Amino acid sequence: MTHTLSNLLLSISVLACIAPAAATPSPLDRQPAASQSALASTAAPPTTTSPVEHWIGQILIPNPSCAQITFVISLTQTGHSWSGRFSMSPGCGVSGSFDITAEEVARTNDLIRFVTPPPPGRNIYELIPAPDGQTAAGRLIIGGVQPVYIRATRATDAEARNAAPARPQTPSLPLPYEQRTVTATTTGPSGTLAGILTLPRRDAAAPLCPAVVLLPDEDPVDLDHTEGMHKPGQVLADLLSRRGIAVLRCASPGMEGSGGSYLDSTMADAAADATGLVAYLKTIEGIDPARVGIIGRGEGAYVAARAAAEHPDTPFTVLMAPAAISWRDLLLVRERRQLEAQGEDRAYITARLERFGKILSHAASAQDDALAAALEQDFDVQMKQGRAMGMLNIFQQRDMIQVQADFYRTPRLISRLNEDPRPHLAKIRAPVLLLATEMDLLTPTNDTLPAVQETLKAAGNTRVSTRTFPRTNHWFQPCSTGFPDERAQIDITMSPEVADAIAEWIASFKP
């Protein structure tokens, strides 16, 4: 499965590569019905010597080429409540996850249960601790559909830290700037968004500092804009605030205390949230209200362009990996370039793009029956050609198709597929910085950047600057191939040259 679909449908990507279900039944499946009911009861939390406990686990996969995937869950006890942070190593077609917030965490003497959030489906982890409390076994229910066997071992703090990859750009204390946890009110349906504001320290006589709202790419994100095994929002905010720029990054609607729902939020809603965050920053002491702009990457660039067009008083905009084609057309370009880079033959690419185009068209126009039929046809072809990993029975196939169809029907995705940035780009008169990369396979630069430049120029915007970074991928990492699966193996989260370029451009900006 290529990145186009696996990025939109992470749990489906996992399901495709690990099915069929493990032959060994889960310990939960072997429990009598009465015992399973007891596991769901609200027993008192266990007595622990530390408010934090770590478990290193394995997802056991009946696939000889990919036997298991490692995960780490760190549980924190506060009174009688528990919270959790989750990481999963990349592999088997999965990009991995790094230090994300687990949901619905339950920890009793008899059960460890938590959920990793969508889209598109909730992945439910259930583990039964052994009597000694040092090991546990159970099941992972992928997307609420497919159960597989998992096991875990109690770990020390050091073992848990070493199980996750080191990221040299992750900020460490003490920080040379102030960091605040904030709640910002927006004019969009989200109402409020939970965020982190990094604010350069200054004395009363120092000039007011510029500020930016940081918009993430296409997947829902936490406060650090975690994507797979990296935290690009946290890293870029750190790099910019060290250079004297205040940065506000927020969790997506419905994530980590933000209001609203990501899957119900349209592109117009996202733009309204962005402009609300700009207005919020203008109220912060120490920030120059005349120099509060927006930075967006990928889908965030679409949202930033729309917000800047709808609010001409936005003083500047930075568009990272921008495009001047509809999101539906971008997905087709993305699919083509990735298949070409993989060395697929022309006939296969043409047939695949035709099927994928039908899926996107039916989804964009909310033609539910036609969408389901197109998804079924595409899945059937890929199974017959051996392009789908693993062998699924008819019930699993139907479940997969249903989960995909449900996700394609969400307001967020329908809105995204119909988003055309050209009318918005044509309305922007304020300064724009365009940042692109040589090896972007998600927003291929040669296919997208020229049209962005031409649209801005044709509209009369003479204050456009462009910078393209060599041998750099969609996430602005130094890379070798540009493929998404390479990302987790790269220690650098974002090239410092990117932050340098942004900071220098903002410093030269005069309102």
Side-chain angles (χ1 to χ4, degrees):
M1 185 174 292
T2 64
H3 178 79
T4 298
L5 288 182
S6 62
N7 191 43
L8 296 176
L9 303 167
L10 176 58
S11 67
I12 294 302
S13 176
V14 181
L15 175 60
C17 70
I18 65 180
T24 304
S26 159
L28 290 174
D29 293 327
R30 295 196 292 266
Q31 297 290 327
S35 178
Q36 291 195 33
S37 297
L39 290 175
S41 66
T42 55
T47 300
T48 62
T49 57
S50 169
V52 181
E53 62 180 67
H54 307 283
W55 294 81
I56 298 177
Q58 292 82 38
I59 304 169
L60 304 181
I61 302 168
N63 185 333
S65 64
C66 185
Q68 64 184 34
I69 298 176
T70 299
F71 67 89
V72 179
I73 180 70
S74 297
L75 304 170
T76 301
Q77 182 180 7
T78 305
H80 285 258
S81 298
W82 289 81
S83 59
R85 304 293 296 181
F86 175 85
S87 297
M88 182 174 67
S89 63
C92 302
V94 180
S95 61
S97 302
F98 180 50
D99 194 33
I100 65 172
T101 301
E103 299 179 348
E104 302 177 30
V105 180
R107 174 67 168 104
T108 70
N109 290 318
D110 302 312
L111 178 67
I112 300 169
R113 184 185 186 277
F114 59 93
V115 175
T116 54
R122 300 163 67 252
N123 294 333
I124 305 168
Y125 291 74
E126 297 174 333
L127 289 157
I128 299 175
D132 63 4
Q134 298 303 303
T135 62
R139 64 185 177 185
L140 158 64
I141 307 175
I142 302 169
V145 172
Q146 175 72 27
V148 294
Y149 184 72
I150 60 176
R151 63 190 180 196
T153 302
R154 191 76 174 263
T156 65
D157 290 351
E159 289 170 337
R161 284 195 304 271
N162 292 335
R167 297 302 183 214
Q169 290 179 301
T170 301
S172 58
L173 298 175
L175 298 174
Y177 50 81
E178 182 183 356
Q179 180 168 280
R180 303 177 188 172
T181 301
V182 301
T183 301
T185 300
T186 79
T187 56
S190 300
T192 59
L193 293 177
I196 294 178
L197 172 64
T198 53
L199 190 65
R201 293 193 175 97
R202 52 184 292 279
D203 57 42
L208 300 177
C209 69
V212 294
V213 171
L214 197 57
L215 303 181
D217 208 337
E218 59 200 70
D219 289 335
V221 294
D222 59 14
L223 289 168
D224 292 329
H225 293 186
T226 302
E227 297 177 4
M229 304 300 289
H230 287 277
K231 296 176 176 291
Q234 181 190 40
V235 168
L236 183 54
D238 175 74
L239 292 172
L240 292 178
S241 290
R242 290 175 185 270
R243 290 161 173 79
I245 300 170
V247 181
L248 175 61
R249 63 186 193 267
C250 291
S252 297
M255 299 282 288
E256 293 209 286
S258 289
S261 163
Y262 173 83
L263 293 178
D264 292 333
S265 173
T266 66
M267 296 292 276
D269 297 337
D273 282 341
T275 55
L277 296 177
V278 169
Y280 170 80
L281 278 180
K282 292 180 179 180
T283 69
I284 302 299
E285 183 179 358
I287 289 177
D288 184 351
R291 291 191 295 162
V292 179
I294 305 174
I295 299 177
R297 174 173 55 84
E299 182 186 297
Y302 278 71
V303 176
R306 182 169 188 148
E310 293 175 354
H311 292 266
D313 59 340
T314 303
F316 63 85
T317 308
V318 180
L319 304 179
M320 304 174 67
I325 55 177
S326 72
W327 190 262
R328 183 180 66 178
D329 289 342
L330 175 61
L331 292 182
L332 292 171
V333 169
R334 177 184 299 179
E335 188 83 349
R336 175 184 294 279
R337 296 308 181 204
Q338 291 196 43
L339 291 174
E340 289 174 345
Q342 291 167 4
E344 295 286 0
D345 63 79
R346 184 176 300 178
Y348 173 77
I349 294 174
T350 299
R352 165 61 185 153
L353 290 177
E354 182 179 354
R355 297 194 308 273
F356 190 34
K358 289 181 180 178
I359 292 171
L360 298 177
S361 294
H362 296 322
S365 56
Q367 298 177 22
D368 291 351
D369 292 341
L371 170 62
L375 286 168
E376 185 173 357
Q377 179 195 26
D378 182 60
F379 184 79
D380 184 59
V381 170
Q382 294 199 65
M383 287 291 289
K384 289 179 179 177
Q385 293 179 340
R387 304 279 179 169
M389 299 174 68
M391 296 299 294
L392 307 181
N393 63 41
I394 185 63
F395 302 105
Q396 294 166 335
Q397 293 176 31
R398 289 173 180 170
D399 286 338
M400 282 188 64
I401 292 168
Q402 184 62 53
V403 173
Q404 290 188 51
D406 289 345
F407 185 58
Y408 274 116
R409 293 182 182 117
T410 60
R412 177 74 176 198
L413 190 56
I414 292 172
S415 170
R416 180 194 298 173
L417 291 173
N418 288 303
E419 184 72 8
D420 186 344
R422 286 168 292 191
H424 307 306
L425 290 168
K427 294 179 181 178
I428 299 175
R429 296 293 182 270
V432 178
L433 175 61
L434 304 176
L435 299 180
T437 65
E438 179 188 23
M439 303 180 72
D440 190 336
L441 285 176
L442 273 67
T443 310
T445 299
N446 291 339
D447 295 299
T448 56
L449 182 61
V452 176
Q453 296 169 312
E454 292 165 8
T455 302
L456 290 165
K457 181 179 179 180
N461 192 331
T462 60
R463 296 184 289 175
V464 179
S465 301
T466 303
R467 174 82 179 269
T468 300
F469 296 88
R471 300 204 62 79
T472 306
N473 61 19
H474 178 76
W475 300 276
F476 291 80
Q477 295 173 295
C479 70
S480 298
T481 70
F483 280 108
D485 58 2
E486 179 189 34
R487 185 187 187 197
Q489 311 307 320
I490 302 172
D491 289 339
I492 297 298
T493 299
M494 183 175 292
S495 171
E497 294 181 2
V498 177
D500 289 340
I502 295 172
E504 290 169 7
W505 182 78
I506 292 176
S508 68
F509 165 72
K510 305 299 181 184

